[in-house]
Amino acid sequence: MSGLEIDGVTKFDSKETTRNVWVFDSTGGGYDATQVRDEIEDGDILLVPSENVAGYLYQAWPMAVTEDRGEFHGYADGVVADDMRVSHDTAVDVWKEYQAANGR
């Protein structure tokens, strides 16, 4: 992890993507941060290891790609829309990378 912290949010340096990857203590805190922090942008990857949740920001909505969602949104009927597919797949890859880097 890098040393960058924003209100208790940590940034993870990923080799899987050039997008920003943010690590939160909770999905509730992560959701709130996406609504008010300009540093967190559309397409950024969102990780919440304590709740086993990974996702990304889609416009104004944190979308979970994991079975566990916490406070994040999920997909209607489990179907990933075409315009969300790249972000979804990137978040899945970064989640795997993060877990491996942290011995999970």
Side-chain angles (χ1 to χ4, degrees):
M1 292 201 196
S2 75
L4 176 65
E5 289 197 19
I6 301 169
D7 297 338
V9 177
T10 306
K11 191 172 179 188
F12 175 70
D13 294 319
S14 172
K15 292 176 177 60
E16 294 292 326
T17 185
T18 58
R19 298 177 187 191
N20 289 319
V21 179
W22 304 98
V23 182
F24 302 97
D25 291 335
S26 69
T27 53
Y31 196 116
D32 291 347
T34 65
Q35 305 303 296
V36 299
R37 301 302 301 198
D38 291 336
E39 299 90 347
I40 304 171
E41 300 175 335
D42 187 34
D44 281 359
I45 307 301
L46 316 171
L47 306 178
V48 187
S50 64
E51 296 181 37
N52 199 38
V53 175
Y56 60 94
L57 187 62
Y58 177 73
Q59 299 173 1
W61 299 281
M63 300 295 298
V65 300
T66 49
E67 186 174 323
D68 295 326
R69 294 189 325 205
E71 299 296 320
F72 290 2
H73 296 276
Y75 301 102
D77 300 323
V79 177
V80 180
D82 289 343
D83 64 336
M84 301 169 124
R85 176 55 62 190
V86 171
S87 292
H88 175 276
D89 293 348
T90 301
V92 169
D93 291 343
V94 171
W95 181 234
K96 290 175 185 175
E97 175 191 25
Y98 179 87
Q99 289 179 308
N102 289 281
R104 296 177 180 203

